[in-house]
Structures are given as C-alpha cells and as structure tokens.
Amino acid sequence: MERYIAKPFSPQILLMQISNLLHLKENLQKKYIANQLPLDEVVSDSKDKQLVGKIEQYIRDHFDNEELSINDIVAAVGLSRTLLYVKLKSTVGLSATQFITNICLKESLKLLMQDYHISEVAYSCGFSSSNYYTRCFRKQFGISPTEYRKSFEQANDQETDGN
C-alpha cells in the first residue's frame, strides 16, 4: 500500500493519495470481516500479521468457551488491554470484543455446513443463546444461519447435478 509522489507535488494530490489509501485499507478490512479475504491480504506489516495471527489462533483454539474474555487473550499474547485494542483496531478495524465475535462466527460457518442444529452451533461457538447468535450472524453476513445453510445446500445440489 505504499505510494510514491514525485517532487514537486501538489498538496491536493497528496491529500487525494492519503484518502485513497485510507479508503483501500477500510475496504480490505470490511472484506476480511465479511470472510472474503484472508488476514494476509489485510495486514501488511509482518509483526502485526504475526501478532493478529496469534490472537486469531488463540480464539480459534478456545472459541467454544463461553467465558472467553479479553483478559484471557491479553494473558496468552502478552499485551496490555489497551495495546491489544489499538493493534486490532488499526489492523483489522475491530475492537477486541468484535474480533472475538467475528472469529467465532467464521468458525460457526464450518459447523453450519456439517448439518448441526442452529442452537448446537451457537453453544459450540461460545454464544450464550441461539437468539443472540442469530442476531450476530445476521449482522455479520446479512442473512440468517438458516438462510446461509439453505444457500450452501442449494449450491451443493447444483454442483452435484452439474457433474
């Protein structure tokens, strides 16, 4: 995401370049949140990529724990709460709580494809209720878990019929 502007340059061009870079970063973050891009394409700094990957892996290893908290992550990663928040907000555009929810929802997609009941998926992913899980899922992906499962099944049926 680095850019070069030849000297002498116009301040308007500089502002436009900065605006474009910020817009690009925001779009990449949105695609990551929507599970359309891997972490590697969103985070450019190798140390930040390693840190966020470590945080993500810790959450994936413990996503079924309803009691998973930011304090657990802070202890596992060795950061302060403030630094954790700043790093996550600057790299993926989410607070720590939103990041945990995002990872749990992404993990739930795998369980939905394995034909588990919605409430089983919710509790397996650390959500305290299936209603809360459904609200978070709809907010994240724009459809309900049931609609997601139906669209997945239809795509599989079409793939099977096509072969």
Side-chain angles (χ1 to χ4, degrees):
M1 291 196 352
E2 295 178 22
R3 297 288 189 259
Y4 178 79
I5 302 174
K7 291 182 183 179
F9 59 85
S10 163
Q12 290 85 7
I13 291 175
L14 178 63
L15 290 174
M16 190 182 312
Q17 286 285 346
I18 292 170
S19 174
N20 287 343
L21 286 173
L22 291 173
H23 186 68
L24 176 64
K25 182 172 176 111
E26 186 179 302
N27 284 340
L28 289 174
Q29 289 173 342
K30 285 179 183 176
K31 286 184 179 185
Y32 170 76
I33 292 167
N35 205 25
Q36 296 172 346
L37 279 179
L39 179 64
D40 292 347
E41 293 187 33
V42 178
V43 183
S44 56
D45 182 63
S46 63
K47 290 196 183 284
D48 285 346
K49 195 179 297 185
Q50 185 179 9
L51 176 65
V52 175
K54 187 176 179 181
I55 296 166
E56 189 172 330
Q57 189 58 49
Y58 183 83
I59 295 168
R60 287 184 194 284
D61 291 345
H62 299 90
F63 79 97
D64 57 343
N65 179 2
E66 186 179 319
E67 302 293 318
L68 179 64
S69 72
I70 296 169
N71 291 334
D72 298 331
I73 297 168
V74 164
V77 178
L79 292 175
S80 69
R81 289 176 66 96
T82 305
L83 189 56
L84 176 71
Y85 177 83
V86 168
K87 284 293 187 183
L88 288 175
K89 198 68 173 175
S90 69
T91 53
V92 294
L94 297 171
S95 70
T97 306
Q98 291 170 327
F99 189 71
I100 292 170
T101 303
N102 180 271
I103 298 301
C104 291
L105 287 171
K106 287 179 181 181
E107 287 297 312
S108 77
L109 295 176
K110 297 173 189 173
L111 296 176
L112 283 173
M113 291 184 248
Q114 295 175 9
D115 220 22
Y116 287 101
H117 192 272
I118 304 298
S119 61
E120 289 177 308
V121 173
Y123 297 123
S124 295
C125 294
F127 287 88
S128 56
S129 76
S130 58
N131 287 338
Y132 179 63
Y133 167 72
T134 302
R135 273 184 286 150
C136 289
F137 193 96
R138 184 181 301 275
K139 183 179 176 187
Q140 177 83 22
F141 300 111
I143 59 174
S144 72
T146 306
E147 292 168 335
Y148 178 83
R149 176 179 284 153
K150 285 179 184 175
S151 67
F152 177 75
E153 289 170 353
Q154 288 174 349
N156 278 348
D157 289 344
Q158 290 175 355
E159 207 172 272
T160 306
D161 293 341
N163 289 334

